[in-house]
Amino acid sequence: MDDDPALYRALSDATRRLILDELAGRDRQTLFELCARLAGRHGITSTRQAISQHLDVLADAGLIRTERSGRYRFLSLDTTPLRRISARWPAPEEGPP
């Protein structure tokens, strides 16, 4: 039985993976900034509401953090859940060439 279905569900969607890529490239973005980067760099023209729904899935998996400052909500990547995946299937140690 899988211990963390929300994490694998979040990672199963290409748009959500691009959102994580964008947050890895530039931390603390607002929803508006993130939507502009997704449209400009990847041609994703989803509505802000659709991107918000993707963000909710990512937040449920613990992959993003939000911080409110005044009228703005800043989004940041949290890679802690990804470490659980790499701990589950660690890469074999490389030997001498």
Side-chain angles (χ1 to χ4, degrees):
M1 190 71 169
D2 202 342
D3 294 338
D4 206 346
L7 176 60
Y8 296 107
R9 178 176 172 251
L11 295 173
S12 69
D13 183 88
T15 300
R16 289 194 285 269
R17 290 192 301 271
L18 287 174
I19 290 170
L20 295 176
D21 289 344
E22 288 302 321
L23 291 174
R26 184 167 169 263
D27 202 27
R28 289 184 46 83
Q29 294 185 55
T30 64
L31 176 61
F32 179 80
E33 292 168 328
L34 181 61
C35 288
R37 287 174 68 100
L38 289 169
R41 300 177 94 191
H42 306 285
I44 294 176
T45 56
S46 299
T47 64
R48 280 190 279 173
Q49 182 179 12
I51 297 300
S52 288
Q53 290 174 346
H54 284 299
L55 291 171
D56 288 343
V57 173
L58 293 168
D60 287 346
L63 291 166
I64 61 167
R65 289 177 278 113
T66 60
E67 176 185 335
R68 193 167 275 288
S69 179
R71 294 177 28 192
Y72 298 102
R73 184 174 74 139
F74 293 96
L75 305 161
S76 298
L77 174 65
D78 185 347
T79 59
T80 304
L82 298 177
R83 288 188 214 125
R84 289 195 306 262
I85 292 175
S86 63
R88 183 174 176 175
W89 295 292
E93 300 263 341
E94 289 188 27

